[in-house]
Amino acid sequence: GGIVSATSAWLLLRSGLFSDVTNLQIILALSSVALCIVPFIIYHLVSAVPSEELHGYEAGYKLQKIRHKAHKDEKQSVMNSMLSGLFMLFKYPYVMGIFGMSFFFELISQALKVENIIFGKTASHSLSEFTAFLLWQALLVHIVAFIVVVFGTRALISYLGERRSLLVIPAATGLSMIAFVLRPSYSSAIFAFVVTRSVNYAFAAPLRESLYIPTVKEVQFKSKSWIDGVGTKFSKTCASSFNMYTDGLVGSALLGVQTVFFGAVISLWFLVAYALGLRFEKALKRNEVIGSGEVL
């Protein structure tokens, strides 16, 4: 889907048949129609898949049934329900680790995205050309991610296991950032962006979702909403602050700041990924449900 939509939009922009405004209006209209179809697809999937096949992790499913029978899942006030996810985020290091995996990726991605936009604006002469530049990158990301998903994701995770697979994410991101920082250019920026995004879509995102398997429902839904919503915005704010700080720096000064910043982020990312992988494997081995304090 990403490949088809990005290719179609890129071809439209490169054709030169319409003005910049008309091109964007066409893309926006078609995107809106596609989004309107999504609820029907979700409804079909929910209707087609038997409910007994949706419970996933057996220990978590058993705990949920026990809680339901014991009436532990009593209704909470709206405020308590909203804050319970945030409370569990700070209470359980494992959940904070999941936040860290998302935070570090978004931090690197957004900092790199600004560099890409700068290179794109410099190389473009019109709005359509600039948009086509961004879509071309998105197309490359989807193509690489598709290849990785088809030939590599499942094989790598099966071969390496969850813990080592988590370490691949900061490793691949770190290597691409080294290439960009040492030789900042149009090509290295695109390379780093494509590698970072492709690894996220094809590898990191499925792994992050699997980390929620040995957790209680409160973590899977309430804490996750804080991580995906507020946490993502927080990481983008931090990345924007870094970009504002480095604005105007050139040469060795810029290289030094970027080296320290990206080096520190990647190093912390490695530590979080390693600890998170160990905790995940331990939870599965003990048949533990993180967030409940119970082993089933």
Side-chain angles (χ1 to χ4, degrees):
I3 294 175
V4 173
S5 58
T7 302
S8 302
W10 181 78
L11 290 174
L12 173 65
L13 292 168
R14 298 296 295 178
S15 66
L17 296 175
F18 307 101
S19 65
D20 291 348
V21 175
T22 304
N23 282 334
L24 295 179
Q25 287 176 333
I26 293 173
I27 293 173
L28 181 60
L30 293 177
S31 301
S32 300
V33 172
L35 286 174
C36 290
I37 299 174
V38 172
F40 297 99
I41 298 175
I42 295 175
Y43 177 78
H44 173 71
L45 291 174
V46 172
S47 303
V49 179
S51 58
E52 61 270 13
E53 296 183 9
L54 295 175
H55 66 257
Y57 186 49
E58 190 64 27
Y61 178 63
K62 289 180 179 178
L63 176 65
Q64 192 67 20
K65 290 179 66 176
I66 293 172
R67 284 184 166 186
H68 181 72
K69 290 181 180 179
H71 303 287
K72 288 186 178 181
D73 292 328
E74 298 176 355
K75 289 186 177 180
Q76 297 178 312
S77 65
V78 175
M79 184 59 66
N80 287 338
S81 180
M82 289 174 58
L83 295 178
S84 61
L86 182 62
F87 173 73
M88 299 191 80
L89 177 63
F90 287 97
K91 181 179 180 181
Y92 296 99
Y94 180 85
V95 184
M96 183 60 73
I98 299 177
F99 165 78
M101 294 296 293
S102 177
F103 174 80
F104 292 132
F105 164 74
E106 289 293 342
L107 192 60
I108 295 290
S109 177
Q110 290 303 313
L112 184 60
K113 186 177 181 179
V114 171
E115 298 293 336
N116 256 309
I117 291 174
I118 293 173
F119 282 116
K121 285 185 175 180
T122 303
S124 304
H125 301 92
S126 66
L127 181 59
S128 290
E129 192 173 341
F130 175 62
T131 308
F133 165 79
L134 298 178
L135 284 169
W136 173 247
Q137 290 188 71
L139 177 59
L140 290 177
V141 168
H142 286 297
I143 291 174
V144 175
F146 175 76
I147 295 172
V148 174
V149 167
V150 172
F151 298 103
T153 301
R154 186 170 183 177
L156 275 174
I157 295 176
S158 299
Y159 178 73
L160 297 175
E162 187 85 10
R163 177 167 54 87
R164 294 186 180 89
S165 296
L166 286 171
L167 295 175
V168 171
I169 303 169
T173 304
L175 291 174
S176 65
M177 293 309 300
I178 289 173
F180 170 72
V181 170
L182 294 181
R183 297 185 67 86
S185 65
Y186 176 86
S187 300
S188 63
I190 292 180
F191 171 77
F193 181 82
V194 170
V195 170
T196 302
R197 287 282 179 173
S198 300
V199 169
N200 179 65
Y201 289 144
F203 203 68
L207 279 173
R208 279 200 305 269
E209 294 301 316
S210 68
L211 291 172
Y212 288 100
I213 291 175
T215 62
V216 294
K217 291 289 185 181
E218 288 82 358
V219 172
Q220 294 174 5
F221 293 96
K222 297 177 182 179
S223 296
K224 188 177 187 300
S225 65
W226 281 96
I227 293 172
D228 294 345
V230 179
T232 300
K233 300 298 184 292
F234 176 64
S235 61
K236 290 180 179 180
T237 301
C238 293
S240 298
S241 300
F242 170 74
N243 288 323
M244 290 175 62
Y245 176 76
T246 57
D247 186 28
L249 295 179
V250 294
S252 59
L254 178 61
L255 176 62
V257 172
Q258 287 182 332
T259 300
V260 172
F261 175 76
F262 291 125
V265 172
I266 296 296
S267 299
L268 289 173
W269 198 353
F270 259 108
L271 292 175
V272 170
Y274 181 77
L276 202 58
L278 285 178
R279 185 68 181 91
F280 176 86
E281 292 180 348
K282 181 181 178 181
L284 293 186
K285 186 176 180 180
R286 297 176 57 193
N287 217 26
E288 180 184 358
V289 184
I290 297 173
S292 68
E294 301 177 45
V295 178
L296 300 179

